């Protein structure tokens, strides 16, 4: 984060005042220490930014991370007009960008993100749809939201070298990591929240994708001493279970 904030100095470089768009939709969690670094950076440069930034729109993610991001500006003095949005097109409209120029800009932004992350637009759209439907999720609903048939979605995922189940598992684990880091929810509650059929299935899935148990990962991330029992590891299923509410047969595997 200390290296990343230096990139923000690009806002100070243009001689002419300009509008600024901060797209944080893909942020999945907010680490308190990293957040403090960002706040410290901005507080020291607010006056400098006010001479070059006319107004700034922040597009926040959903959930707890979105609430944290949305509260960012409350820690600043308001050297320039700023507003928080959930829709990037609406944010650009507020910045004075009509739809004719906003659409190509967002398309270019998505291309840059795909290039940097190695994630295709299809998977990005799929993950966004999945996050909004957990814990009760199924292939039919997701395909409908993405504007295609189940067969078309499965075929496109197969062409991309993956499957509905594999991507669902990835989304479940990433959402679980955010809950483990940002809340004090019990492991059982986290398992239910992300749509796992049981605590054992959740532990098995988490270990498979992360390489350690949920409780061990939480302790390491939060810097806590180990010692909590890990009941989820008492037994593990012989085979992967499908997500709660989601048919395991419709995986494309």
């Amino acid at each position: 984060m200390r290296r990343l904030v230096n990139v923000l100095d690009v806002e100070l470089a243009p001689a002419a005042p300009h509008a600024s768009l901060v797209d944080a939709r893909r942020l999945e969690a907010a680490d308190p220490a990293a957040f403090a670094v960002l706040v410290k950076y901005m507080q020291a440069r607010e006056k400098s930014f006010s001479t070059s930034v006319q107004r700034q729109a922040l597009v926040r993610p959903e959930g707890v991370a979105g609430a944290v991001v949305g509260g960012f500006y409350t820690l600043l003095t308001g050297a320039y007009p700023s507003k928080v949005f959930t829709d990037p097109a609406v944010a650009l409209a507020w910045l004075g960008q009509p739809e004719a120029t906003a659409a190509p800009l967002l398309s270019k932004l998505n291309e840059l993100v795909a290039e940097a992350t190695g994630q295709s637009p299809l998977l990005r759209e799929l993950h966004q749809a999945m996050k909004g439907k957990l814990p009760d999720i199924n292939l039919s609903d997701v395909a409908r939201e993405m504007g295609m048939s189940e067969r078309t979605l499965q075929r496109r995922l197969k062409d991309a070298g993956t499957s509905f189940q594999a991507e669902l598992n990835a989304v479940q684990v990433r959402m679980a990591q955010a809950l483990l880091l940002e809340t004090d929810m019990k492991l059982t509650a986290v398992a239910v929240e992300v749509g796992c059929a049981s605590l054992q299935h959740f532990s098995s899935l988490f270990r498979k994708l992360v390489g350690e148990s949920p409780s061990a990962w939480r302790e390491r991330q939060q810097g806590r001493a180990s010692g909590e029992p890990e009941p989820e590891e008492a037994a593990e299923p012989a085979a992967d279970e499908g997500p709660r509410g989601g048919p395991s047969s419709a995986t494309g595997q």
Side-chain angles (χ1 to χ4, degrees):
M1 177 58 78
R2 291 189 182 92
R3 293 194 298 271
L4 180 62
V5 292
N6 290 329
V7 178
L8 297 178
D9 282 341
V10 70
E11 295 276 21
L12 303 175
H18 61 280
S20 173
L21 174 70
V22 179
D23 185 357
R25 286 175 294 163
R26 300 165 185 86
L27 186 67
E28 296 179 357
D31 180 88
F35 188 73
V37 170
L38 180 59
V39 171
K40 183 178 180 180
Y41 169 89
M42 289 300 300
Q43 287 177 333
R45 291 167 175 78
E46 271 192 287
K47 291 185 178 179
S48 298
F49 273 92
S50 66
T51 63
S52 60
V53 178
Q54 292 178 314
R55 56 170 53 187
Q56 186 174 82
L58 173 69
V59 187
R60 69 171 182 83
E62 298 180 355
V64 176
V68 174
V69 172
F72 171 72
Y73 288 118
T74 64
L75 302 177
L76 304 176
T77 59
Y80 45 81
S82 60
K83 193 171 181 180
V84 179
F85 299 87
T86 57
D87 186 330
V90 177
L92 284 169
W94 182 75
L95 292 176
Q97 293 291 327
E99 185 177 354
T101 58
L105 180 61
L106 289 176
S107 177
K108 180 61 177 177
L109 181 60
N110 289 335
E111 289 177 9
L112 291 172
V113 171
E115 180 181 347
T117 62
Q119 187 181 58
S120 70
L122 171 67
L123 295 185
R124 186 169 59 250
E125 183 182 358
L126 175 66
H127 289 187
Q128 192 66 33
M130 285 178 167
K131 283 190 228 180
K133 295 187 177 302
L134 286 175
D136 298 311
I137 185 171
N138 59 64
L139 174 63
S140 178
D141 288 344
V142 172
R144 186 181 304 111
E145 181 168 326
M146 295 178 67
M148 63 183 77
S149 68
E150 296 179 33
R151 181 174 297 180
T152 298
L153 177 56
Q154 288 180 308
R155 176 178 54 78
R156 292 186 63 184
L157 289 174
K158 184 177 180 180
D159 292 342
T162 185
S163 68
F164 183 83
Q165 189 66 53
E167 297 308 317
L168 173 57
N169 289 344
V171 169
Q172 287 175 305
V173 168
R174 285 162 65 182
M175 288 192 66
Q177 287 176 316
L179 292 172
L180 290 169
L181 185 63
E182 299 169 359
T183 75
D184 292 324
M185 291 175 64
K186 299 294 185 181
L187 297 184
T188 302
V190 173
V192 171
E193 189 70 18
V194 300
C196 285
S198 68
L199 198 55
Q200 289 76 17
H201 174 233
F202 172 58
S203 178
S204 177
L205 176 61
F206 197 95
R207 276 182 173 277
K208 179 180 178 181
L209 297 188
V210 180
E212 60 184 327
S213 71
S215 55
W217 184 88
R218 172 185 259 174
E219 289 170 359
R220 183 168 59 80
Q221 293 294 322
Q222 296 181 341
R224 297 198 307 230
S226 182
E228 295 181 4
E230 297 185 1
E232 78 280 8
E233 296 179 30
E236 293 187 357
D240 286 347
E241 302 173 38
R244 183 167 67 86
S248 58
S249 59
T251 63
Q253 292 180 330

